[in-house]
Amino acid sequence: MSADYAVHGSVAVITLNNPPVNGMGLVTRTAAVAGLRQAQEDPAVKAIVITGAGKAFSGGADIKEFNSPKALTEPTLHTLIRTAEDSVKPVVAAIHSVCMGGGLELSLGCNYRVALPGAQIALPEVKLGLLPGAGGTQRLPRVLGLEPALNMIVSGTPVLSEKLAGSALFDEVFPAGTNLIEAAVAFAEKIADVRPLPKVRDRKVDYPNHEAFLQFSRNTVKAVAGPFPAPLECVETVAAAVTMKFEDGLKFERERFLHLIQTTESKSLRHAFFAEREASKVPDVPSDTPVREIRKAAIIGAGTMGGGIAMNFANAGIPVTLLETKQEALDKGLATIRKNYENTLKKGKLTQEKMEQRLALVRGTLAYEEIADADIVIEAVFEDMGVKETVFRKLDEVMKPGAILASNTSTLDVDRIAAFTRRPQDVIGTHFFSPANVMKLLEIVRGKQTGKDVLATALALSKKLKKTGVVSGVCDGFIGNRMIEQYSRQAGFLLEEGCLPEQVDQAVEKFGFAMGPFRMGDLAGNDIGWYIRKRRYVEKPEISYSKTADLLCEMGRFGQKTGGGWYDYKPGDRKAYPNEEVNAMIARHSADIGVQRRAIGDEEIVQRLVYALVNEAALILEEGIALRASDIDMVYLTGYGFPLYRGGPMFYADTVGLPNVLASIEKLAKGYHGEAWTPAPLLVKLAAEGKGFNSR
C-alpha cells in the first residue's frame, strides 16, 4: 500500500504515502481508489479528506511510468480523479508543501480544496515537453480564470497557495502553523451535508473577447517557444476549456497529450530530467556515505575563473578567501567580483542587502597561512603542470588535516597533481566552466586515490552551489574537453576543405547549439586551444590538426579579449563580424597544403561535428571515464550548449539510430583525414545488437 486509510469521527482520511513526493504511480493510484471506495461503502463516513504524507501533497504522476504499460493500467490517474469527482460523499483535498501536476489535477477533481500557506501550486508538465493530461487544462481555468490559468500552464512556474487564496481554487487557506489534518477534518464535517456537491467541471470560463486574447497568446508563445511544441499545445488545450463542452475539452486534451508524449522534444526533456538525477549517483559510493562539512573555502588565483568560483561560495552563504601572489592582481579580482554583483543589482536580480551580504563573505589575502583552516581549497591557476605542482606542494604543507584539495584543471592529470601531496585521498578535480558564476556544469574528477567521502562531499557541494555535478575519471580533457577536441579538429578540417567560420557556426547553431565552434573559440580565447595543441604536438605527434587555428593565433587574434579572432568584435558589441583577412588566410592555407576547396553542405557540417562528439564519447564510456551515457549528455547540455530539445549527443545518436551513425562514420573514414574516424568498438557493438547508448 502507498496510501493510508483512517477514520476521524465521521470523516475518512486518505493519505498518499509514496516518498519522496507522493508520486501517483500505479500502486498509489490503486490504494487511493480503494480508499475512496471503502469510504463510500462505510455508512459511518459522511465526508472524505485526501492529503499527502511527509513533505508533499503530491508532486504528480510518476514520470518513470510514461510510455510504459503501467501508465495505462487501471486505475489510471483519470480513473482516480473521476472516482473522487463522482463520489456521493464530499471529497476535500487538504494541500500542503507541494501540489503539482497530477496532484493538482486530483485536487481539482475533489469537491473542495483547503491548504496551508507556503504550498507550491503548479502544473509544470510543459517543462517536460508535455501538457497537463488529466484535466488540468480544462479544470484550472474554471477556478482561476482564463488568463492566470494559461500563464501557470504555459510557464509551469509554481505559485504559492496564499497568492491564490482569493480564487475559487481554494475554499480556505488556513493560517500558518495550523494542524492541517485537524482543520481539514473540521472543514469536512462542516460541509458534509451540503448538497448539491460542487464540481469544478460544472463551472463556466467567462472571459470577454476570449478570441482576441487567445490569438494574442498564440502569437506570444510561438515567438518564445522556439523548437518546443508543448507551449503552443498548452494554449490550444486551454482554449478548449472556453470553446468546448467539458467532456469534449477533456478528450481534446488527452489527444494532444498522447501526441506530445511521443515527440522527440518531450523524450529529450524527460531524458535530461532523469539524467540530472542519475548523475549524482556513483555505484560504489552509497548515498549514506559520510560527507565532510564545508564551512570555509579558499580559492587560489583571483582571475576570471577564481573570482567566478568564489562567487559561487558566497552565493551559497559560505565564507571564501581569495589568495593571490600580488596585491594588484588581488585588488583587480575583488573589484571584478564587486562589479559583477553590482551589474546583477542593476538588473534587479539582487537586492542591495543581499549584495552586501555576499561581498562580506569574500575576502582576499597574499599569505597561504591565512587559508590554512579552510575546509576546501580550489586551485584556479594557469593550466600548466609546473605551476600546479608549486601550488599543491604548498597546500600540502599549510592546509589543515582533512581539508579537501581541489584542482580546477580542464585537461591535466589529477593523479599526477595528487602525487605532489602526502594526502592523495584528499585531492579531487573540480572543473568549473567559464563564467563559473553562471555556468551550471561542474565536472568532478575522481582520482585513483580520491576518498569516497571526498567524492560524496564534492557531489553534495555541487548541489549547494546550484551546479550539476557529473563525475569523470582521469584522462586528458576528462569528458567534455576530450570530446570537444575531436569536434574542434573536424571544424578545422572543414575550413581546409572549403568552409569559412561563419558557415560552420551557422550550420550548428541552426541545428540548435547555443554557439558554433569558432564563436566559442573567440569567447573562450583561441590562445587556450593553441597552448593545448602545442602540448599535443610533443606528447601525441601522431594526431593531426588543421594549422588554421595556429595561423590565426600567430596573427595575434585570440578572440573577443583582443577585439578579434575568427571574427571581428566592436567595443560593447559581442556580435561576430566576419574578417576578410582571416577568410583569405584560410583559403591561402588550403592552397598551401594542396587541398582543392569544395562546396560543403550544412548537413555534412553537422554530421561531422556531432558524430565526432559521439564517437569519442563512446570511447569515454567504454573506458569507464564516464559512468553512464546520460552523464555525457548532461555534460553537453549544461556545459557546452548542446540543444536541450535533442537530449545530448548520446541521446541524439540513439534517436538517429546507432546503425545510421556508424554508417556515416564509416563513410567519413574514407574521406579527408579519414584516420580521425575509426569507429569506437562500443558503437560498433551496440549498432550490431540494435541497442542504444542509453539502453545498453
Side-chain angles (χ1 to χ4, degrees), residues 52-328:
K55 297 180 179 179
F57 173 79
S58 174
D62 187 341
I63 302 166
K64 290 177 184 173
E65 290 187 359
F66 287 6
N67 290 119
S68 81
K70 280 188 176 182
L72 301 174
T73 302
E74 290 291 351
T76 64
L77 182 54
H78 283 271
T79 300
L80 169 58
I81 293 169
R82 187 58 63 92
T83 303
E85 193 172 55
D86 290 346
S87 171
V88 296
K89 299 174 183 180
V91 183
V92 180
I95 292 164
H96 67 95
S97 308
V98 172
C99 180
M100 295 187 181
L104 180 55
E105 288 174 306
L106 171 59
S107 77
L108 289 166
C110 297
N111 306 109
Y112 301 93
R113 287 155 299 283
V114 296
L116 290 177
Q120 295 186 70
I121 311 299
L123 289 173
E125 288 83 354
V126 71
K127 294 180 179 180
L128 296 177
L130 298 169
L131 54 80
T137 65
Q138 302 308 293
R139 290 188 177 95
L140 193 65
R142 285 172 158 83
V143 292
L144 283 190
L146 178 60
E147 194 169 342
L150 183 63
N151 288 340
M152 276 184 71
I153 291 167
V154 169
S155 71
T157 305
V159 179
L160 292 176
S161 50
E162 59 267 31
K163 292 192 175 178
L164 301 170
S167 71
L169 175 60
F170 293 122
D171 297 280
E172 197 165 340
V173 175
F174 303 121
T178 300
N179 182 306
L180 179 61
I181 300 301
E182 288 179 7
V185 167
F187 179 90
E189 287 172 337
K190 188 171 69 177
I191 52 84
D193 297 321
V194 174
R195 296 294 184 277
L197 293 174
K199 294 183 181 181
V200 170
R201 62 183 293 151
D202 295 336
R203 300 175 71 97
K204 291 278 186 284
V205 184
D206 290 320
Y207 194 93
N209 198 9
H210 64 263
E211 296 95 341
F213 170 72
L214 288 167
Q215 191 53 51
F216 169 78
S217 300
R218 288 183 186 100
N219 296 341
T220 304
V221 169
K222 193 174 183 179
V224 297
F228 295 101
L232 204 53
E233 292 280 12
C234 286
V235 177
E236 298 304 336
T237 48
V238 169
V242 188
T243 60
M244 296 183 185
K245 292 178 181 177
F246 180 79
E247 285 296 340
D248 292 338
L250 212 58
K251 184 181 175 185
F252 179 67
E253 176 196 82
R254 190 66 185 159
E255 287 172 0
R256 302 325 297 159
F257 177 86
L258 292 173
H259 162 71
L260 284 173
I261 207 167
Q262 297 300 331
T263 61
T264 301
E265 291 84 0
S266 176
K267 289 176 182 177
S268 297
L269 287 168
R270 281 179 276 143
H271 170 70
F273 176 85
F274 287 117
E276 185 166 7
R277 281 146 187 80
E278 282 295 304
S280 62
K281 299 173 185 174
V282 181
D284 67 328
V285 181
S287 58
D288 60 355
T289 301
V291 297
R292 302 186 189 184
E293 197 171 356
I294 305 296
R295 289 163 300 192
K296 289 182 183 177
I299 314 295
I300 312 297
T304 303
M305 181 59 78
I309 297 172
M311 288 177 71
N312 285 305
F313 282 94
N315 294 347
I318 299 171
V320 59
T321 303
L322 271 173
L323 184 144
E324 259 295 352
T325 53
K326 293 181 180 176
Q327 189 66 47
E328 184 184 0

Side-chain angles (χ1 to χ4, degrees), residues 672-694:
Y672 185 71
H673 277 295
E675 79 284 350
W677 288 109
T678 304
L682 179 63
L683 172 60
V684 175
K685 177 176 177 287
L686 293 176
E689 294 171 352
K691 294 180 180 176
F693 290 119
N694 286 286

